[in-house]
Amino acid sequence: MPKLLSSICLFCSVVLATMTATLSSVSADDVVSNAFIDRAGLTVDWFTHTGIGVRGQLVDWHLNVNENKPTTHFTIEAGSFRESFSQNKLNPFGEPMGVDGAVAYVEMRKEILAAEMENDGVKEPKIDVKQYSLPMTTIYTLTSDALVKAIDADTGKTRWSTKVGSAAQPSIGIGSSDKYVAAINGSTLYLLESETGKVLWSIGCRDAVAASPAVSDERVYVPLINGRLEAFSIEDKGVNSTAFVVMGQGTSRPLITERVVAWPDQRGVFSIAGRFNTKAISYQLRSDDGIVCSPVYDDGIFYVTSLDGFVYAMEEKQGSLLWQASTGRSISESPVVHQGFVFVINENNEMFKFNSKTGLLAAGWKAPRQNVKKFLGASKDNLYVLDRFGQLIVISQANGSTLSSVKFGDVSNVLPNIETDRIFVASRQGMIQCIRERQRPIPYFHRNDEFGPGEMTVSTKSQETDSKKEAMDMSDPFGSSDPGDNPFGGPSGKGSDSDDPFGGPAKSDDNPFGNSSSGSNSQSADDDPFK
């Protein structure tokens, strides 16, 4: 009898240990539970894995929104039935359908659904079809195993993955543009084609790399620990690189606009230089302590936060300091610019809301919001943040009040997203999850709310003939007769002005901070140092 009890106890111990190991492995790999975030009106839209090894981890990731390469999406709704897909849906031969194939698929599905509903006794079945375009949005990841992966931010599907360098070398960071992806392993820069993941070239940097690279259509910019910002020409495959010289080590990924490249350093200097035809630094903003996070650019203004506790608003064109505001404690998080306001989180876990043009505290936010650790994302009305205990807090943008608070999960990496209303988080094991508001299956783009459904709606069976005729004329899904038209409502020639705004460096006697904000508005176009 004792032997039987001993065997039973041993068996139970083994089972318990197995269950514990299984549960711990599941909980360690999961990031967020739907059961918890459902209480906040959220749901997990998709999840995927970076593909890292046992000892690997996610080192860096970058979100790119390519408005020049839209994807056409379709939604079919009939009663409680709803189906969404894009032109990239695979046909029976494993190839993308394309727009024409997707339109034909829509017509086939409509006929099948109408027949099924009629068989169920539905008279005059109503079938709604919506067609809309979204920019191609991609998350590029870099792991400690030196693996670069391109993930479709709308679906979570992997577009491609490429190994660069060696897992024995430290992977530093990643950056991207519409055309290129730059990854750094050790002190070697690898340039990849964004569409295919093909390595175009690689080259060694002049010194050890300090932070993630930034990519334009012409150059890759890499901050070095010796205080240089090395610029590699893409056309020349990185050969004969140039360098901007500053005293402090770069601390974060540089910021590229249509006119300039800008970067911060550990000595608290924020430098700005022209992207074209200049090798000199045009302006510098000097704070009283280090700048350790990436600046933000919006509507011609740079917003910079510093360990001195201040947030600075600096005008791009002349370098004028428009305003500065103190939060009372060091700031190591990037500011968030959203709907005309600047949200800033300091080391005291306080969130402030400033007017982006004046620097004054926003109405309803005269006192900072307490217990905010990190920004996650934003919808049209709400902010999503993590508190210092790792809980998800839903905050009203209007007055900073707490709308809900839920347990979140094992989040080790956050990709702050102000481009869309999606939230991207990752676990230590490389599991990535996309979270959205339950009632918004289609992404909302903050900077351009013209994206989304509503461009074409076909309803009811009685309109079926007209919809078929319309589908046959859809060689251009955006309704444009001119192939040069921009489907997103802006001019097709954006950035193609024949005037070169970067024709020469700034004069050495220019004082970038010699004018007030009102004075900078009265300056003429001839004062532009990049012209």
Side-chain angles (χ1 to χ4, degrees):
M1 189 68 178
K3 291 184 177 180
L4 178 60
L5 289 174
S6 177
S7 299
I8 293 175
C9 291
L10 179 60
F11 174 75
C12 291
S13 299
V14 172
V15 172
L16 181 60
T18 303
M19 291 177 62
T20 303
T22 302
L23 290 173
S24 63
S25 65
V26 172
S27 62
D29 201 44
D30 284 345
V31 188
V32 177
S33 168
N34 252 331
F36 290 115
I37 64 173
D38 182 71
R39 303 170 191 173
L42 301 172
T43 185
V44 175
D45 196 34
W46 54 259
F47 61 89
T48 189
H49 204 277
T50 56
I52 56 182
V54 176
R55 298 182 180 179
Q57 60 181 345
L58 179 63
V59 172
D60 193 19
W61 48 351
H62 193 231
L63 179 69
N64 178 261
V65 177
N66 188 351
E67 296 187 3
N68 297 315
K69 194 169 184 180
T71 300
T72 304
H73 295 254
F74 300 84
T75 299
I76 306 174
E77 294 182 342
S80 60
F81 174 85
R82 188 178 190 278
E83 181 181 3
S84 297
F85 57 94
S86 75
Q87 67 185 65
N88 296 324
K89 182 179 177 65
L90 300 181
N91 60 24
F93 301 100
E95 301 172 344
M97 288 184 173
V99 175
D100 293 339
V103 169
Y105 178 80
V106 166
E107 296 304 319
M108 178 190 70
R109 293 295 293 148
K110 283 173 56 185
E111 293 179 2
I112 294 174
L113 288 171
E116 291 177 348
M117 296 174 72
E118 288 175 348
N119 289 336
D120 293 337
V122 178
K123 296 181 179 180
E124 297 183 357
K126 182 179 180 181
I127 302 174
D128 293 332
V129 177
K130 292 181 180 179
Q131 175 184 330
Y132 52 95
S133 293
L134 297 177
M136 187 175 76
T137 308
T138 308
I139 298 173
Y140 297 100
T141 64
L142 174 65
T143 70
S144 56
D145 294 338
L147 183 68
V148 178
K149 182 175 284 191
I151 300 171
D152 188 325
D154 295 323
T155 64
K157 296 186 180 300
T158 298
R159 292 200 177 109
W160 52 259
S161 60
T162 303
K163 185 84 174 218
V164 296
S166 168
Q169 295 288 333
S171 294
I172 307 298
I174 194 168
S176 64
S177 67
D178 291 348
K179 295 181 180 179
Y180 305 106
V181 179
I184 296 177
N185 177 256
S187 60
T188 302
L189 167 66
Y190 295 85
L191 188 75
L192 294 78
E193 188 177 52
S194 63
E195 186 171 350
T196 64
K198 175 185 177 182
V199 176
L200 300 177
W201 49 263
S202 63
I203 194 169
C205 299
R206 298 185 184 187
D207 207 328
V209 178
S212 299
V215 190
S216 71
D217 288 344
E218 308 84 21
R219 294 178 180 85
V220 181
Y221 298 92
V222 181
L224 306 179
I225 63 171
N226 62 5
R228 270 66 171 170
L229 179 73
E230 191 167 6
F232 297 88
S233 170
I234 293 177
E235 183 179 5
D236 296 337
K237 298 183 178 181
V239 179
N240 299 322
S241 65
T242 59
F244 299 97
V245 181
V246 295
M247 296 300 295
Q249 174 182 312
T251 55
S252 63
R253 180 186 293 112
L255 181 61
I256 300 175
T257 73
E258 291 185 355
R259 306 159 56 83
V260 303
V261 56
W263 68 101
D265 65 42
Q266 63 181 4
R267 293 196 176 190
V269 178
F270 177 63
S271 303
I272 298 178
R275 276 179 56 182
F276 308 98
N277 300 329
T278 178
K279 297 180 181 180
I281 295 174
S282 301
Y283 297 133
Q284 287 184 326
L285 180 151
R286 297 179 181 272
S287 66
D288 292 330
D289 209 335
I291 302 172
V292 298
C293 53
S294 296
V296 173
Y297 176 81
D298 185 74
D299 195 23
I301 301 175
F302 290 105
Y303 299 93
V304 186
T305 53
S306 169
L307 294 179
D308 65 6
F310 279 81
V311 53
Y312 301 90
M314 182 181 183
E315 195 267 341
E316 175 193 24
K317 190 175 180 182
Q318 282 86 27
S320 301
L321 184 63
L322 301 181
W323 57 262
Q324 61 183 25
S326 175
T327 67
R329 294 292 294 272
S330 297
I331 308 172
S332 57
E333 295 286 326
S334 294
V336 174
V337 182
H338 184 53
Q339 296 182 351
F341 297 96
V342 183
F343 296 89
V344 178
I345 302 172
N346 67 13
E347 291 295 317
N348 201 37
N349 298 323
E350 297 173 319
M351 173 179 270
F352 295 78
K353 181 181 180 181
F354 300 101
N355 183 294
S356 63
K357 301 300 181 184
T358 65
L360 300 176
L361 288 171
W365 285 69
K366 296 305 180 182
R369 176 65 169 80
Q370 302 294 322
N371 194 30
V372 177
K373 183 71 173 178
K374 188 174 288 291
F375 172 83
L376 294 177
S379 64
K380 295 181 68 174
D381 303 313
N382 304 328
L383 297 175
Y384 296 96
V385 301
L386 287 180
D387 69 8
R388 60 193 180 96
F389 303 108
Q391 292 192 104
L392 170 68
I393 310 293
V394 185
I395 298 176
S396 167
Q397 293 187 38
N399 54 30
S401 62
T402 298
L403 302 179
S404 61
S405 175
V406 296
K407 183 179 179 181
F408 208 44
D410 179 28
V411 175
S412 64
N413 286 282
V414 171
L415 182 60
N417 178 22
I418 203 59
E419 297 290 343
T420 71
D421 59 355
R422 272 30 183 176
I423 299 171
F424 301 107
V425 295
S427 70
R428 290 180 178 85
Q429 287 71 29
M431 178 66 73
I432 297 176
Q433 286 183 332
C434 172
I435 301 168
R436 63 169 173 84
E437 292 184 341
R438 212 169 34 237
Q439 72 275 19
R440 292 204 65 91
I442 300 171
Y444 176 81
F445 286 79
H446 295 299
R447 301 179 191 274
N448 191 344
D449 57 9
E450 294 181 5
F451 296 120
E455 295 180 7
M456 180 194 79
T457 301
V458 181
S459 302
T460 74
K461 185 179 178 182
S462 62
Q463 295 178 335
E464 189 171 3
T465 303
D466 293 337
S467 66
K468 285 183 178 180
K469 181 178 180 181
E470 181 181 6
M472 294 176 65
D473 296 329
M474 287 184 62
S475 57
D476 181 1
F478 307 111
S480 170
S481 60
D482 184 354
D485 287 346
N486 184 338
F488 305 114
S492 60
K494 183 178 179 181
S496 61
D497 193 338
S498 59
D499 292 334
D500 182 2
F502 310 107
K507 296 179 181 179
S508 59
D509 59 350
D510 284 346
N511 180 4
F513 304 112
N515 300 291
S516 63
S517 61
S518 59
S520 65
N521 292 335
S522 62
Q523 290 176 333
S524 67
D526 293 333
D527 295 328
D528 184 355
F530 307 114
K531 184 174 179 181

